[in-house]
Amino acid sequence: MAMLTQLITILEDEVQLGELLLHNLAAQKESILAWNSSTLLIHIEEKEHLVRKLAEMEEKRQTSVRRLLRAHGALDADDTPALKTLLAQLPPTPHTAALEHLQQRTWKIYNRLRAGEKQLTSLMGILLNHVSEALGSLTPPPRMTLYGGKGVLTAGRPAPGFL
């Protein structure tokens, strides 16, 4: 029972970290749209810290699930511990209901986070393309020789940079 309570606590912490990551993602998007690079860097550093904490929580969760699966005799030597497998082994109790609820909640949060990360990456790519186009039109065209060695026109006039 204590191991199940510990696992519930770990999943609750993962849910909280996921929600913090969602808020961080929204703050990063705001910083990008406001062209505020210093704030963006602060949010990126915060995200790195949260991701490290999440990796620690993930390790704790896997260890806890592994112990519970071993206690129920449902873990093979080469299996990776899965919460879904554990839930299939446990009898229906309030603890297992709480675990199922937390599993669904965690899945939803991290799917939203994955989709948000994908959107943010796309937004950054679009902005980078716009900046590249804007800066590309300001650079002078490469030097070209218009006449070859025999005095014959070798190239047409380069297009103006702003067109």
Side-chain angles (χ1 to χ4, degrees):
M1 202 58 107
M3 287 194 294
L4 280 177
T5 305
Q6 180 185 12
L7 181 57
I8 289 171
T9 303
I10 292 169
L11 286 173
E12 287 171 343
D13 290 344
E14 283 186 349
V15 166
Q16 286 179 331
L17 278 172
E19 289 172 349
L20 288 172
L21 283 165
L22 283 172
H23 290 295
N24 180 277
L25 186 65
Q28 284 183 51
K29 186 176 178 181
E30 278 182 34
S31 297
I32 289 170
L33 292 175
W35 293 89
N36 190 340
S37 60
S38 60
T39 305
L40 177 62
L41 289 174
I42 290 169
H43 292 303
I44 289 173
E45 287 174 7
E46 179 186 343
K47 175 188 172 187
E48 289 174 0
H49 173 72
L50 292 172
V51 168
R52 278 192 299 275
K53 283 177 73 173
L54 183 62
E56 292 170 12
M57 295 304 303
E58 176 68 14
E59 183 64 34
K60 287 180 184 179
R61 182 181 62 80
Q62 285 184 357
T63 302
S64 182
V65 170
R66 187 177 291 116
R67 272 192 256 141
L68 283 162
L69 283 170
R70 281 190 189 130
H72 286 84
L75 183 68
D76 293 331
D78 58 343
D79 281 348
T80 55
L83 185 58
K84 184 168 82 172
T85 306
L86 176 64
L87 288 171
Q89 298 296 321
L90 296 174
T93 65
H95 284 333
T96 56
L99 283 172
E100 287 174 354
H101 173 72
L102 285 168
Q103 179 192 30
Q104 291 171 2
R105 200 163 156 212
T106 304
W107 186 83
K108 286 178 185 177
I109 287 172
Y110 286 98
N111 269 346
R112 283 182 34 213
L113 189 59
R114 195 173 11 262
E117 285 282 343
K118 201 178 224 184
Q119 287 176 333
L120 185 65
T121 302
S122 175
L123 172 66
M124 289 170 60
I126 291 168
L127 289 175
L128 180 62
N129 285 337
H130 286 303
V131 168
S132 294
E133 283 180 23
L135 292 177
S137 65
L138 297 176
T139 59
R143 291 189 169 214
M144 301 175 70
T145 57
L146 295 177
Y147 297 99
K150 296 183 179 180
V152 179
L153 187 62
T154 58
R157 288 186 76 181
F162 284 108
L163 298 177

